[in-house]
Amino acid sequence: QVQLVESGGGLVQPGGSLRLSCSKSGGIFSFSIYDIVWFRQAPGKQREWVASISSSGTTTYTNSVKGRFTISRDNAKNTVYLQMNSLEPEDTAVYYCNTGRSVVAAPYSWWGQGTQVTVSS
């Protein structure tokens, strides 16, 4: 089973930017065949879907991040990126990536450790 590793989180002021990375670790299939999703989980809240990118490059976003976040992929580097601009305190959460299409967390049986994003002045 392919495993993914998230990185790039940190502390940023409101209005700032971060770029998260989701890299493939292990597995025998080409990274390019996978649909990739980003989720996030804030303290005391359920894990929520943020963005998706299909194997063909089609992207979708939850309404709260449209126009601020951009998901992209570099199959040669086995990596999906989440560029986050105009960050708000409400974006504070642990961010996770996974392979799949579901925009609800329940069907996913495995999650990585995630990467913490904190937006605060």
Side-chain angles (χ1 to χ4, degrees), residues 35-107:
D35 300 321
I36 303 294
V37 293
W38 280 99
F39 279 75
R40 65 186 179 186
Q41 187 165 20
K45 295 187 177 181
Q46 291 188 339
R47 196 164 297 188
E48 67 170 352
W49 170 72
V50 175
S52 300
I53 187 164
S54 72
S55 58
S56 62
T58 301
T59 60
T60 52
Y61 302 90
T62 193
N63 285 339
S64 63
V65 308
K66 282 182 180 177
R68 301 189 298 123
F69 290 12
T70 302
I71 188 171
S72 62
R73 66 191 302 156
D74 185 338
N75 291 329
K77 294 183 178 179
N78 290 330
T79 300
V80 165
Y81 302 100
L82 186 67
Q83 177 67 44
M84 307 186 297
N85 299 328
S86 302
L87 283 162
E88 304 169 352
E90 294 73 22
D91 296 316
T92 295
V94 179
Y95 284 71
Y96 303 88
C97 62
N98 216 322
T99 57
R101 298 181 178 182
S102 177
V103 297
V104 295

Side-chain angles (χ1 to χ4, degrees), residues 11-38:
L11 173 63
V12 63
Q13 292 186 344
S17 298
L18 281 174
R19 188 178 76 161
L20 306 184
S21 297
C22 170
S23 300
K24 172 177 171 284
S25 175
I28 62 173
F29 297 108
S30 171
F31 184 72
S32 64
I33 72 170
Y34 295 103
D35 300 321
I36 303 294
V37 293
W38 280 99

